[in-house]
Amino acid sequence: MTSEGVATRRATLRAQVEQVVARTPVIDIHTHLYEAGFGDLLLWGIDDLLVYHYLVAEAFRYLDRPYEEFWAMPKSAQAELIWKELFLKRSPVSESCRGVLTTLNELGLDARSRDLPSLRRWFAERKPGEYVDVCLEKAGVKSVYMTNSPFDDQERRVWEKGLCRDERFHAALRIDPLLLSWEKVVPRLAGWGYEVRGDLSGRTVDEVRRFLADWSSRLKARFVMVSLPPDWVYPANNPCNQLIERAVLPHCREHGQPFAMMPGVIRGVNPGLALAGDGVGLTRLASLGSLCARFQENRFMATVLARENQHELCVLARKFRNLHIFGCWWFLNVPHLVEEITRMRVEMLGLSVTMQHSDARVLDQLIYKWRHAREVIGQVLADKYADLQATGWEASPEEIERDVRQVLGGEFERFCGDAAG
């Protein structure tokens, strides 16, 4: 075949793969979104897009004013300030800024006039319940996994009151305070009727398991999750590890739930920035490996925040079939790093990963985060199928569609088994 013929075949294959990736519905396995029934906890609209903590941190690269002054402003004024600093006074070239513009463009809104009031008027005419449908459709997302904490007072009240569930939204039980702030959690659990003690004596472990079972049932939680600091070490004799060993992992085995671990975040590097002030550190992944080796009857999920940890995480996943790795989290969710990490994972692990999750906090972000992710995933997979083509192996259209479904949520469902049913 001539070089021109090879180039034509390769271009045809690339277009085919990118089209399949663009149209395949996604299972978004980690977000910070809520169903519409949670009321004000569901963030959406132009002001929430603009005061997203990524943009807050970026804006303070230019702002010369006290943090307290910014946080004292109403949300609308914060949004106007960020719009001015990042979109009007300089070109919005960062990934977070581009994301806002991608979202507006996909919604059919023209931001070229730089007219924030007109954008606000458009969003003001939307109704949250109907707008959820719009965003899921535009993003090509068929189901969303929330992050649900019984230790959040506002969220807990909604669960206790009860709500009519949206079947597209699934719960994940987040237990950070339980594992990382045990001494503070003890009186709260006791106040809720659980017989617990700070030294884990008596009925404490059984009562923690009862707490996990109660909330797994209330939420219909598909998995249990925790975000960990980079200096977390296992094995080590401390309440966190004792609770993991004696309560969390037995609970997960009994209820068929994977345990999702997300290490690498350093909370409050700059407290003045509030949620935008968290940082990243290098994780000791040997600790995760020790858990996977010791508790092979448990299923673990992991995504790690530091770029420097990604190769080691892939090696761990090659060694432990009870470990599923997913997505490019937080500071890694920029196209350059998503491509680098996704390419490495495919080359080391094949299709046994979930390539991305959105980590969206604002409903509208589903649109841009998945639009941008699909572009990168399509490029990586197109290259890999072209590599196969060069060996004489031709992937059929049906095989390509099967594979794409797998890496956009199907492998997660297979790994979870009945837990994700």
Side-chain angles (χ1 to χ4, degrees):
M1 182 178 294
T2 66
S3 58
E4 291 82 2
V6 171
T8 298
R9 288 180 65 210
R10 190 179 182 105
T12 300
L13 176 63
R14 176 172 295 277
Q16 177 190 4
V17 173
E18 292 178 349
Q19 288 171 10
V20 171
V21 172
R23 68 171 183 257
T24 299
V26 164
I27 300 170
D28 195 341
I29 74 171
H30 174 58
T31 78
H32 295 271
L33 301 177
Y34 292 92
E35 305 172 40
F38 281 84
D40 291 342
L41 284 172
L42 172 61
L43 304 179
W44 64 282
I46 187 61
D47 283 359
D48 282 322
L49 281 170
L50 291 173
V51 299
Y52 182 42
H53 64 91
Y54 287 24
L55 292 172
V56 171
E58 185 178 340
F60 267 102
R61 300 287 298 162
Y62 307 106
L63 290 172
D64 183 18
R65 63 173 64 199
Y67 299 124
E68 297 80 4
E69 180 181 312
F70 176 83
W71 296 119
M73 293 177 175
K75 183 187 293 184
S76 59
Q78 294 173 352
E80 290 162 6
L81 183 60
I82 290 172
W83 179 257
K84 177 181 177 181
E85 289 294 331
L86 299 184
F87 292 81
L88 302 184
K89 294 177 69 173
R90 45 193 60 85
S91 295
V93 297
S94 74
E95 175 65 6
S96 299
C97 289
R98 180 172 78 109
V100 174
L101 299 179
T102 295
T103 299
L104 296 176
N105 187 55
E106 290 292 309
L107 290 169
L109 299 171
D110 187 352
R112 289 176 296 177
S113 64
R114 279 73 165 166
D115 188 354
L116 182 57
S118 69
L119 295 173
R120 280 176 165 160
R121 287 193 292 272
W122 186 89
F123 283 99
E125 295 172 355
R126 314 274 83 80
K127 296 179 180 179
E130 296 173 359
Y131 191 56
V132 168
D133 299 339
V134 171
C135 289
L136 292 180
E137 181 179 355
K138 291 283 186 183
V141 172
K142 68 177 181 179
S143 62
V144 170
Y145 280 76
M146 304 179 286
T147 298
N148 304 106
S149 174
F151 300 99
D152 181 298
D153 291 335
Q154 187 177 359
E155 180 180 345
R156 189 180 68 255
R157 285 193 291 269
V158 177
W159 289 112
E160 291 174 342
K161 182 179 178 181
L163 74 158
C164 182
R165 297 292 302 274
D166 184 331
E167 63 182 12
R168 298 168 297 182
F169 285 74
H170 306 301
L173 177 59
R174 186 162 186 168
I175 58 171
D176 294 30
L178 182 74
L179 298 182
L180 303 179
S181 304
W182 172 245
E183 292 298 329
K184 295 180 180 178
V185 163
V186 168
R188 299 194 72 186
L189 291 176
W192 295 335
Y194 297 95
E195 188 180 328
V196 294
R197 299 176 183 174
D199 62 0
L200 302 181
S201 63
R203 293 179 45 80
T204 297
V205 171
D206 289 339
E207 287 292 271
V208 170
R209 289 187 61 177
R210 183 165 71 89
F211 167 78
L212 295 172
D214 288 347
W215 278 94
S216 290
S217 175
R218 187 188 296 272
L219 274 57
K220 295 182 174 59
R222 299 291 180 87
F223 58 89
V224 179
M225 64 183 299
V226 64
S227 176
L228 293 163
D231 59 357
W232 169 72
V233 175
Y234 180 89
N237 186 21
N238 54 48
C240 175
N241 286 333
Q242 289 184 50
L243 287 166
I244 289 174
E245 289 182 359
R246 299 169 60 190
V248 176
L249 295 183
H251 163 83
C252 288
R253 290 193 297 271
E254 180 181 350
H255 293 268
Q257 295 172 313
F259 184 35
M261 308 183 75
M262 305 173 68
V265 58
I266 304 176
R267 299 294 182 189
V269 171
N270 183 354
L273 281 172
L275 189 60
D278 293 340
V280 59
L282 197 63
T283 295
R284 304 178 189 183
L285 282 178
S287 298
L288 177 59
S290 295
L291 274 181
C292 291
R294 182 172 177 182
F295 299 97
Q296 296 201 29
E297 64 274 34
N298 279 96
R299 288 168 291 174
F300 297 90
M301 297 163 53
T303 189
V304 183
L305 194 53
R307 178 190 190 186
E308 295 81 1
N309 279 131
Q310 300 307 316
H311 180 258
E312 186 179 2
L313 182 63
C314 283
V315 173
L316 275 180
R318 285 171 64 95
K319 306 308 167 189
F320 296 104
R321 63 182 180 181
N322 61 334
L323 175 61
H324 180 74
I325 63 177
F326 64 98
C328 299
W329 178 34
W330 204 338
F331 304 120
L332 297 174
N333 194 1
V334 292
H336 167 72
L337 295 179
V338 173
E339 179 179 358
E340 171 189 302
I341 293 166
T342 302
R343 195 174 296 275
M344 176 174 63
R345 289 175 177 174
V346 172
E347 291 172 356
M348 295 185 69
L349 299 168
L351 303 172
S352 64
V353 301
T354 297
M355 285 191 169
Q356 187 56 304
H357 62 268
S358 73
D359 202 25
R361 283 185 180 271
V362 183
L363 177 65
D364 323 57
Q365 291 174 340
L366 289 173
I367 298 172
Y368 91 76
K369 286 177 179 276
W370 281 110
R371 171 66 181 272
H372 294 181
R374 289 176 197 268
E375 291 172 358
V376 175
I377 292 169
Q379 292 167 9
V380 171
L381 288 178
D383 287 345
K384 293 306 164 189
Y385 288 116
D387 291 343
L388 290 180
Q389 191 178 66
T391 72
W393 182 282
E394 295 278 354
S396 70
E398 294 78 17
E399 289 171 332
I400 293 172
E401 291 179 359
R402 173 203 64 196
D403 296 345
V404 172
R405 288 195 302 269
Q406 184 173 346
V407 298
L408 294 182
E411 179 61 16
F412 162 76
E413 290 189 318
R414 186 201 67 79
F415 179 81
C416 292
D418 291 341

